[in-house]
Amino acid sequence: DGGITQSPKYLFRKEGQNVTLSCEQNLNHDAMYWYRQDPGQGLRLIYYSQIVNDFQKGDIAEGYSVSREKKESFPLTVTSAQKNPTAFYLCASSILAGRDEQFFGPGTRLTVL
Amino acid sequence: GQNIDQPTEMTATEGAIVQINCTYQTSGFNGLFWYQQHAGEAPTFLSYNVLDGLEEKGRFSSFLSRSKGYSYLLLKELQMKDSASYLCAVPNQAGTALIFGKGTTLSVSS
């Protein structure tokens, strides 16, 4: 079955530690995205990638980093510079960037203690 | 810049009809998306409108007026499982990613 996976579903880290969230898709999509969602809020774009080896900052990129070395994978690192990292993180992909339906992974809930 | 407005919360009863509105301001319109998100889960695609008018898909319909910067999602014959957040989204100015509204939380009661 084609789809998009994120792991782990729940993640706990101590303040000051970097943490990497995994996102993998086997839909053969060129575009991938990372969003952050806080309680009662919509989705805010962190980073996106239109094609392998390329990525752009979204609206709230500070304190985050990404890589896109393979078409299938778009990991997100939450660094210690992110002031308020506790949130629900969603990864998505689409055939082309921006104007196509996005397919979402199940999300990772990160709690920084 | 871009701005999307939706009501924060709505309530309705089983079997009723509810209309969730979305107004947007964007330069270079490239369509409008609606997504459904149950609590703690990922959003799922409901509809995409790029031309004016109403598109019907079973119990759900979506309407767009580009001249007014306005869309609505119409849910008919409401069921308890329709209790969720409904997110309106438009492509960013570059057409490379989606900008989401804050979502409307719909509560359906019996």
Side-chain angles (χ1 to χ4, degrees), chain B residues 40-90:
Chain B
E41 298 182 8
T44 55
F45 170 80
L46 288 177
S47 68
Y48 173 59
N49 294 66
V50 66
L51 299 176
D52 290 351
L54 184 69
E55 298 219 358
E56 298 186 68
K57 199 186 287 187
R59 293 190 300 114
F60 292 9
S61 302
S62 56
F63 171 83
L64 176 67
S65 169
R66 289 173 295 173
S67 62
K68 295 181 180 177
Y70 168 68
S71 173
Y72 67 72
L73 184 68
L74 192 71
L75 290 73
K76 303 177 186 174
E77 301 168 16
L78 279 173
Q79 302 174 11
M80 297 292 282
K81 68 178 182 179
D82 297 329
S83 293
S85 183
Y86 292 86
L87 305 169
C88 170
V90 296

Side-chain angles (χ1 to χ4, degrees), chain A residues 9 33 35 37 40-43 45 48 50 56 59 88 90 97-107 109, chain B residues 8 30 33 35 37 40-45 48 85 87 90-92 94-103:
Chain A
K9 191 165 178 64
Y33 315 83
Y35 294 94
Q37 188 172 37
Q41 298 293 312
L43 308 181
L45 183 65
Y48 64 98
Q50 297 181 68
Q56 284 84 39
D59 299 320
F88 187 46
L90 286 158
R99 305 179 193 186
D100 283 328
E101 172 191 349
Q102 291 187 9
F103 294 80
F104 285 84
R109 191 167 297 279
Chain B
T8 304
N30 285 307
F33 294 81
Y35 284 81
Q37 186 181 24
E41 298 182 8
T44 55
F45 170 80
Y48 173 59
S85 183
L87 305 169
V90 296
N92 62 6
T96 52
L98 290 182
I99 305 298
F100 283 82
K102 293 187 177 181

Side-chain angles (χ1 to χ4, degrees), chain A:
Chain A
D1 284 337
I4 181 165
T5 58
Q6 293 183 242
S7 61
K9 191 165 178 64
Y10 298 96
L11 190 56
F12 296 88
R13 279 294 182 269
K14 290 184 179 179
E15 196 172 336
Q17 290 181 333
N18 290 357
V19 59
T20 298
L21 310 184
S22 165
C23 177
E24 304 279 331
Q25 55 99 0
N26 60 4
L27 300 167
N28 200 33
H29 286 171
D30 281 319
M32 297 187 75
Y33 315 83
W34 274 105
Y35 294 94
R36 170 186 172 135
Q37 188 172 37
D38 294 286
Q41 298 293 312
L43 308 181
R44 291 187 291 167
L45 183 65
I46 304 172
Y47 268 97
Y48 64 98
S49 169
Q50 297 181 68
I51 200 165
V52 68
N53 290 324
D54 181 66
F55 51 83
Q56 284 84 39
K57 293 181 179 179
D59 299 320
I60 55 165
E62 186 176 348
Y64 299 98
S65 66
V66 293
S67 62
R68 186 85 188 276
E69 297 175 2
K70 296 187 300 182
K71 189 175 187 178
E72 305 80 24
S73 179
F74 191 41
L76 173 75
T77 297
V78 184
T79 74
S80 57
Q82 168 49 233
K83 291 183 172 55
N84 186 18
T86 294
F88 187 46
Y89 289 88
L90 286 158
C91 180
S93 70
S94 63
I95 296 172
L96 295 173
R99 305 179 193 186
D100 283 328
E101 172 191 349
Q102 291 187 9
F103 294 80
F104 285 84
T108 292
R109 191 167 297 279
L110 173 65
T111 302
V112 175
L113 306 171

